[in-house]
Amino acid sequence: MKIVTVVGARPQFIKAAVVSRILRKDAEEIIVHTGQHYDYNMSDIFFEELNIPTPDYNLGISGGSHGKMTGRMLEAIEEVLVKEQPDKVLLYGDTNSTMAAALAAVKMHIPVYHVEAGNRFGTLDSPEEVNRIVTDHVSTCLMPCTESAAKFLEKEGLADKSHIVGDPMYDAFLYYGSKLTDKDRNAIVDFDGNPVARPESFYYLTCHRQENTDTDDKLREILVAMNELDAPTIYPVHPRNKDRVRRVSSGLNNIIAAQPVGYLTSISLVNDAKKIVTDSGGLQREAFFAGKQCVTVLDFVVWPETMVGNRNQLSKPDSGEILRKLSDVQTIDDTYKPFGNGHAGDKIVELLLNN
Ligand code: UD1
Ligand code: UDP
């Protein structure tokens, strides 16, 4: 069987690493990288560290408006599909790369298999929500990570295509988490490329969504909150926000702004941080996997399972609210494992080969 996998953004490389390792034992896989993320530390480092096979195609498409990026990807992915004639197309998550590939494939009657289907914010104001809804509704096989995601699919009349597989990010967290070295723990560099000494005790912040970073005031509120804490905050900054963070964090001496880190360094930061503040879908789950308290600076719950026992709480980008929620008491029930058993990759491959 021939599968074309389309990836483009950082979190998709991580999920593809898990599945590709298993899939290649029994099928031919062609990897298409749209080019959406392209800096070394947003792309190549993941392929190197996680041993993901070099993409067969790199379409080199990034930036521009959502419509322009998606349209260019749609055209280029269609060309690849015409050439490769795969049996199925495998997609992850909710980026513009995901939606472009879903549209290209369905128009050519190629079955689309969608991992991380079903999550919903409840507003089309979010570009990711649009990508998820479109992709889910044109897919042949939907692979939600959790029961709550499967419920949304059921409400939308998609239950008969839906199979809960667990979360490949959990697979990755367990698999790569057992391989971390001191080199991974210390591979943090500042914006000028100088090594950053990792403090004994620290908080871990990631914040990149357009909702929080398109103006100075919201990002400033988040950074002011972190600056008040009893230990420094390590903040690897998505390249889209570098200039804004440089400006907004000026004078906030408890914030260590850094270049994006590789996945291994990121999960070592999750494991060792006191607490985590983020607007990332992936990082809020990793905080949960590691038993770390998390505050998610977003208006909408995407991963309700992480919210149990105050383990993860939503906050507005308001310094007082972030600090209050960080100091709330959390309760952890170690037996509660809503993200599967670390073998989502096997289930995804089983569905791809036999469904
Ligand atoms: C995208 C996804 C988001 C996901 C995130 C993962 C969409 C709509 N959004 O958002 O769901 O959470 O990836 O990290 O697909 N840039 C660089 N270097 C890079 C990559 C990006 O400089 O390697 C800059 C470019 O100026 C680009 C901007 O960042 O225009 C935004 O990148 P883009 O991929 O459009 O969106 P993300 O914010 O990364
Ligand atoms: N991550 C990383 N380097 C960083 C920041 C995050 O490797 O500098 C990892 C993080 O641990 C998680 C994933 O990237 O595994 C989350 O991706 P991102 O926040 O970009 O996207 P989202 O999950 O919000 O779609």
Side-chain angles (χ1 to χ4, degrees), residues 76-197:
I77 293 168
E78 184 180 64
E79 276 173 29
V80 174
L81 296 180
V82 167
K83 186 157 164 236
E84 295 293 344
Q85 295 292 321
D87 298 295
K88 295 172 180 175
V89 167
L90 173 61
L91 304 178
Y92 298 94
D94 55 15
T95 69
N96 290 345
S97 300
T98 313
M99 185 176 74
L103 291 175
V106 71
K107 292 272 183 173
M108 292 177 63
H109 311 295
I110 302 169
V112 174
Y113 280 58
H114 185 210
V115 176
E116 218 179 272
N119 299 87
R120 297 288 183 265
F121 275 7
T123 169
L124 294 177
D125 287 347
S126 151
E128 286 82 13
E129 181 90 341
V130 178
N131 294 342
R132 286 183 207 121
I133 291 175
V134 172
T135 304
D136 285 344
H137 281 262
V138 302
S139 290
T140 300
C141 179
L142 298 167
M143 294 178 270
C145 299
T146 59
E147 294 202 359
S148 65
K151 287 236 163 65
F152 280 114
L153 295 172
E154 197 183 320
K155 269 192 210 150
E156 293 174 23
L158 299 172
D160 54 345
K161 299 179 182 178
S162 158
H163 308 265
I164 300 174
V165 292
D167 187 354
M169 291 296 271
Y170 186 43
D171 296 22
F173 185 81
L174 295 177
Y175 181 82
Y176 295 105
S178 67
K179 298 181 188 298
L180 299 178
T181 64
D182 280 344
K183 185 167 155 276
D184 303 319
R185 291 190 185 89
N186 291 309
I188 305 172
V189 294
D190 68 16
F191 288 160
D192 300 318
N194 303 313
V196 170

Side-chain angles (χ1 to χ4, degrees), residues 116 161 241 325 348:
E116 218 179 272
K161 299 179 182 178
N241 305 316
K325 298 231 161 120
I348 291 164

Side-chain angles (χ1 to χ4, degrees), residues 9-11 36-39 42 63-64 66 69 94-97 127-128 131 208-209 238-240:
R10 173 165 72 182
Q36 182 170 346
H37 286 177
Y38 52 89
D39 287 343
M42 295 292 288
H66 284 278
M69 189 200 295
D94 55 15
T95 69
N96 290 345
S97 300
E128 286 82 13
N131 294 342
H208 70 276
R209 290 208 182 274
H238 186 299
R240 68 183 290 163

Side-chain angles (χ1 to χ4, degrees), residues 240-256:
R240 68 183 290 163
N241 305 316
K242 185 174 159 188
D243 293 340
R244 193 181 300 281
V245 170
R246 223 193 254 279
R247 188 170 65 245
V248 169
S249 66
S250 144
L252 303 178
N253 299 327
N254 222 9
I255 307 284
I256 302 172

Side-chain angles (χ1 to χ4, degrees), residues 216-231:
D216 282 8
D217 50 339
K218 290 185 187 158
L219 185 61
R220 174 105 192 150
E221 281 287 324
I222 297 165
L223 294 183
V224 164
M226 303 311 291
N227 199 53
E228 294 285 307
L229 292 165
D230 59 346

